[in-house]
Amino acid sequence: MKQNTIERNTVRMVLVITMIIAVFPFIFMMIIALKPPGESVTGLNSLYVMNPTLNNFVRVNQIIPLARNAINSMVVSSVGALTTVFFCALAGFAFAKYTFPGKELMFIIMIATMMVPEETSVIPVFIIVRQLGWINNLLSLIVPKIATAIGIFYMRQYITTFPYSIMEQARIDGCSEFRIFWNMVLPNITPALAAWGSISFIVRWNELLWPLLFMRSRVMYTLTVAISLLPTAEGLSTPWQVIMAGAAVSVVPLVIIYFLLQRFQIAGLMTGSLKG
Amino acid sequence: MKESSLLARMWKARVVYLFIAPYFILFILFQLIPLVWSFVLSFHQWSGLGDMTFIGFDNYRRLFTSEQFRQVLFNTLFYWAVSIVTIIPISLLLATAINSPWLKRRSLIQTMTFLPYIISWVAAALVFRMLFDHEVGLINISLNALGLQAQPWLISTRLSKIPITILIIWRLVPWYMLIIYSGLKSVDLQYYEAAVIEGANALQRLIKITIPLISTILFFCFITLTIETFRIFAQPYALTQGGPGNSSMSIVQYLYINGFEFFNLGYASTVGYALALILLAVSSLQLRNMVKRNKEMNM
């Protein structure tokens, strides 16, 4: 059993090192963000903080409209996640539980579009958004991605197991098809809704290209765009403390949400659909 | 019973069409029309104002002869290739490690190792920019301490792709690890017990049992990672701005600069189509696979 012990210890060591590598940049970021201007950020000095201060966050707030940018991110991510979950589940329900003419063709079109990168058509999309008057309007970050092919695909996989007999019974009781969806299907797929909702939230919060294109004034930026445009030079030196404080502001809300939700079931959902 | 006509069947399913309508309306407005429009634009010269000029294949000719495009194509292929050969094996090994039946505190380990995926590319890139800075960065200080030469990571055309690649590996391994791990959970433990009894070591078990059993998931990882790395934009944008020179610029960044800084909307669309065609070539395999499986599912 000696080989076994060596094996186990190797595995443990690898996992501990992985955890350190995964978490270190977060700790590093917080340390620098809390450093007062007098403390050195060079080399090994960047690994500790003597007199933590929140001053850097105040300075970030002077450079960018922090509260406003945070509200934009919050609105886009939460409204986006809620609507995405609803519309993806609705379409997923249709594909999972009904037969109708054109179903197979529509499904193939949907999967095919998953393979086309959205960057290919980013210029016409920009022109359309401008025509709609959605430049500098958060709608442009929410509406176009309300129902995504990949979201519908996963919802469909999840809803497939919902029993027909319950739907039949509900119809006999006089339920409309939408009532079946709203009152019976949705409450039964909450794990999928939570998983897909949290992933959509994170993706929208972290999105760079679209808000960079569609938001054309500082007050309309999302946090991610705002921190990507923080000044990299102040005279001859780089204001690392301020940059790290900006990064921290954009990261901390997500980390809090992550720890509240604890675990993402999204991967299980995904592999489930792969085996399907 | 009589076969009802197509229209009658469609009328019967009218509510279902309503359920799908939001997706298809948005699909037509924000995907289909733009895709066709982008194709048309790729044969024109247009700055966004005034009239479009039809120039035939000039944009495509320009693309194939452009030194800069060759560079950004090479960079993107570099990110793709290095990501594939590092991320998938690392994720597989870590997922196997986490899946060890005797492991304690598994959920703590999972929570911690997944963290990088939460952070945005931009925020992560800012942290990496500082870590790799040639003056204050921890990486160079550590290299010096080990007796190695400090390197100008972010300001050298030779090295600028390396910090970006490390950033990509750092942030994406957790995601692929999680996907592979949930695949592993479905593997029957009996196979392992039999293999252990027969004296197979960890590596043998990995190659002989695990990899064949989760080949579908590994293939899925390959395809999604390919799509993701071809679409790289935020990573060089926030870490090196694509520089120095064009040494770390990606295809999408090249598209962005041509479209929204130089206002060559036609040429930018050509770049977009080149990107789509390269990706389509790679992912057509997966598409066929999915359509086939879907038919088998008897929908």
Side-chain angles (χ1 to χ4, degrees):
Chain A
M1 280 293 107
K2 195 166 171 235
Q3 189 201 359
N4 211 339
T5 330
I6 297 171
E7 231 177 75
R8 287 187 182 191
N9 284 333
T10 318
V11 166
R12 285 196 190 99
M13 218 171 70
V14 167
L15 288 177
V16 168
I17 294 171
T18 310
M19 279 166 73
I20 294 171
I21 294 173
V23 175
F24 174 74
F26 288 89
I27 297 167
F28 179 80
M29 177 181 76
M30 289 315 296
I31 291 173
I32 306 292
L34 294 173
K35 277 205 174 223
E39 273 186 46
S40 165
V41 294
T42 307
L44 297 178
N45 297 322
S46 61
L47 293 178
Y48 57 87
V49 51
M50 300 296 281
N51 307 299
T53 168
L54 292 176
N55 246 332
N56 298 320
F57 295 94
V58 178
R59 282 182 64 203
V60 174
N61 194 30
Q62 288 161 354
I63 300 170
I64 59 174
L66 194 59
R68 187 62 203 273
N69 294 159
I71 291 171
N72 292 343
S73 281
M74 230 33 223
V75 169
V76 168
S77 307
S78 51
V79 176
L82 286 175
T83 48
T84 299
V85 161
F86 174 77
F87 285 106
C88 287
L90 189 62
F93 174 57
F95 279 115
K97 288 292 155 194
Y98 297 92
T99 48
F100 50 90
K103 176 175 170 180
E104 189 150 336
L105 178 71
M106 285 184 195
F107 201 75
I108 288 172
I109 291 175
M110 226 177 66
I111 292 180
T113 55
M114 278 160 63
M115 305 295 172
V116 182
E118 61 187 38
E119 289 80 5
T120 297
S121 46
V122 70
I123 283 158
V125 168
F126 179 81
I127 297 166
I128 290 171
V129 165
R130 199 175 55 187
Q131 288 300 321
L132 289 168
W134 284 358
I135 297 295
N136 274 336
N137 185 331
L138 296 180
L139 280 177
S140 62
L141 301 181
I142 297 172
V143 176
K145 289 177 184 171
I146 263 182
T148 57
I150 195 159
I152 295 172
F153 187 73
Y154 292 127
M155 288 299 177
R156 166 182 168 274
Q157 296 298 129
Y158 212 92
I159 296 170
T160 306
T161 53
F162 190 81
Y164 282 104
S165 54
I166 296 180
M167 290 171 64
E168 272 312 314
Q169 187 57 46
R171 281 195 196 107
I172 293 166
D173 293 344
C175 264
S176 71
E177 303 301 316
F178 184 76
R179 285 293 291 254
I180 294 175
F181 171 72
W182 187 254
N183 287 348
M184 290 166 187
V185 176
L186 276 191
N188 272 297
I189 57 164
T190 42
L193 300 178
W196 197 254
S198 40
I199 281 291
S200 316
F201 188 95
I202 290 181
V203 168
R204 282 166 196 265
W205 184 280
N206 289 341
E207 174 76 43
L208 177 66
L209 182 60
W210 282 39
L212 192 62
L213 290 180
F214 299 155
M215 299 299 124
R216 292 275 152 181
S217 70
R218 284 162 33 110
V219 289
M220 291 313 293
Y221 286 156
T222 58
L223 264 184
T224 305
V225 175
I227 63 161
S228 81
L229 300 173
L230 281 175
T232 51
E234 242 174 21
L236 285 173
S237 64
T238 309
W240 289 115
Q241 297 93 325
V242 177
I243 293 175
M244 289 303 118
V249 168
S250 84
V251 169
V252 167
L254 287 187
V255 174
I256 292 172
I257 291 172
Y258 174 61
F259 279 105
L260 285 179
L261 292 171
Q262 269 303 317
R263 199 83 76 69
F264 284 73
Q265 293 131 324
I266 191 78
L269 199 69
M270 204 165 265
T271 44
S273 67
L274 281 171
K275 271 173 281 164
Chain B
M1 248 185 23
K2 210 177 68 177
E3 272 283 312
S4 46
S5 76
L6 180 66
L7 276 176
R9 278 187 294 143
M10 285 176 75
W11 176 247
K12 213 178 139 220
R14 59 193 183 279
V15 186
V16 185
Y17 288 115
L18 269 183
F19 290 173
I20 305 172
Y23 168 74
F24 272 93
I25 292 168
L26 293 174
F27 166 74
I28 291 167
L29 187 58
F30 292 108
Q31 281 188 289
L32 193 62
I33 294 175
L35 210 56
V36 176
W37 192 346
S38 189
F39 185 70
V40 175
L41 265 178
S42 73
F43 295 97
H44 288 80
Q45 185 165 26
W46 192 38
S47 68
L49 299 166
D51 291 333
M52 299 198 293
T53 327
F54 180 78
I55 53 167
F57 282 95
D58 276 9
N59 283 329
Y60 287 88
R61 223 167 280 139
R62 186 178 153 196
L63 186 78
F64 287 122
T65 53
S66 161
E67 198 65 49
Q68 204 183 3
F69 180 71
R70 214 168 299 153
Q71 176 72 47
V72 299
L73 178 63
F74 171 77
N75 295 343
T76 309
L77 289 172
F78 177 90
Y79 296 136
W80 169 68
V82 178
S83 300
I84 295 283
V85 299
T86 53
I87 292 175
I88 294 181
I90 295 173
S91 307
L92 177 63
L93 283 176
L94 291 177
T96 317
I98 291 185
N99 196 38
S100 308
W102 46 266
L103 194 71
K104 296 195 181 79
R105 295 172 187 261
R106 185 176 289 120
S107 69
L108 173 79
I109 297 171
Q110 278 184 297
T111 308
M112 288 304 167
T113 47
F114 192 71
L115 265 179
Y117 195 74
I118 307 294
I119 190 172
S120 67
W121 284 115
V122 171
L126 294 177
V127 177
F128 273 61
R129 200 200 275 170
M130 183 165 178
L131 288 173
F132 279 97
D133 189 88
H134 64 289
E135 281 172 355
V136 306
L138 208 54
I139 304 278
N140 272 349
I141 305 284
S142 314
L143 286 178
N144 277 335
L146 292 170
L148 297 167
Q149 188 88 48
Q151 300 289 339
W153 297 107
L154 300 170
I155 51 170
S156 135
T157 52
R158 193 167 49 89
L159 299 170
S160 60
K161 281 189 278 297
I162 294 173
I164 294 176
T165 314
I166 295 176
L167 167 68
I168 295 169
I169 296 171
W170 179 78
R171 187 174 176 272
L172 289 186
V173 161
W175 175 252
Y176 288 97
M177 190 175 79
L178 192 66
I179 291 178
I180 295 173
Y181 170 72
S182 8
L184 288 177
K185 275 202 300 194
S186 64
V187 172
D188 198 336
L189 276 176
Q190 278 179 348
Y191 291 109
Y192 284 104
E193 280 157 22
V196 170
I197 289 165
E198 283 173 24
N201 65 29
L203 188 68
Q204 287 168 325
R205 293 199 300 268
L206 183 68
I207 294 171
K208 293 268 169 62
I209 305 175
T210 312
I211 292 180
L213 280 174
I214 58 163
S215 58
T216 324
I217 284 158
L218 293 178
F219 190 54
F220 172 82
C221 291
F222 175 79
I223 293 296
T224 49
L225 186 57
T226 300
I227 295 176
E228 181 138 20
T229 45
F230 271 94
R231 292 178 52 196
I232 279 174
F233 168 73
Q235 299 86 323
Y237 179 87
L239 192 49
T240 60
Q241 286 78 48
N246 307 311
S247 64
S248 62
M249 193 182 285
S250 69
I251 297 180
V252 175
Q253 209 182 352
Y254 181 64
L255 188 162
Y256 173 82
I257 289 170
N258 275 291
F260 297 98
E261 283 177 18
F262 301 150
F263 299 103
N264 279 329
L265 300 190
Y267 185 58
S269 300
T270 312
V271 177
Y273 257 85
L275 175 74
L277 289 177
I278 298 169
L279 256 179
L280 214 66
V282 181
S283 49
S284 57
L285 292 163
Q286 170 76 352
L287 176 64
R288 224 170 22 206
N289 196 345
M290 273 171 122
V291 170
K292 203 177 90 199
R293 196 179 305 127
N294 197 55
K295 272 187 183 150
E296 282 164 5
M297 274 183 69
N298 189 18
M299 31 193 300

